[in-house]
Amino acid sequence: MTLSKCVAALIAAVTIEVIATTLLSLSNSFQRPVIGMTALIFYGLSYYCLSLALRRIHIGVAYAIWSAVGILSITFIQGRYFDFLMSHETVIGLSMVITGTLILNLAIKQNK
């Protein structure tokens, strides 16, 4: 599998995980079981895509990107659609996540 296909798989993993997390929130603690079960299926698909990405991307880098982009996306979705207000601490924490992800990506060399 080429590196570009692995990157595409990582992007798919992140996207599907963000959808799954949003669905999990919409399931209202599994009060809506169909939505909750759909979220679980999406989580499984996300992990499958992540496993494909790991063929060429270092696990530390892939997981850092997956986590950072997921956190940023979910925070945005919460603020936009679920009336979550971002505090100064939230902004500082998100900045730290971005900084840590960048440092990790620069520190680990990829096999090409």
Side-chain angles (χ1 to χ4, degrees):
M1 184 175 250
T2 65
L3 183 59
S4 60
K5 287 182 181 179
C6 289
V7 169
L10 181 59
I11 292 168
V14 171
T15 304
I16 294 167
E17 188 266 338
V18 168
I19 293 168
T21 302
T22 304
L23 288 173
L24 191 61
S25 181
L26 291 172
S27 78
N28 196 21
S29 301
F30 273 80
Q31 300 267 335
R32 298 174 171 165
V34 173
I35 295 174
M37 292 305 291
T38 304
L40 293 178
I41 291 167
F42 273 62
Y43 278 124
L45 288 171
S46 177
Y47 274 98
Y48 173 72
C49 290
L50 180 63
S51 74
L52 295 177
L54 295 179
R55 291 182 180 176
R56 295 287 304 268
I57 300 173
H58 188 276
I59 190 167
V61 172
Y63 193 72
I65 293 169
W66 186 43
S67 299
V69 174
I71 289 169
L72 293 171
S73 300
I74 290 300
T75 302
F76 172 77
I77 290 169
Q78 273 188 317
R80 181 81 172 115
Y81 299 105
F82 295 102
D83 298 325
F84 173 75
L85 300 176
M86 286 202 321
S87 65
H88 294 293
E89 292 84 2
T90 304
V91 173
I92 291 169
L94 290 173
S95 300
M96 292 172 71
V97 167
I98 293 167
T99 302
T101 303
L102 288 173
I103 290 169
L104 185 61
N105 278 308
L106 294 172
I108 297 177
K109 294 185 180 189
Q110 293 289 313
N111 293 330
K112 294 186 180 179

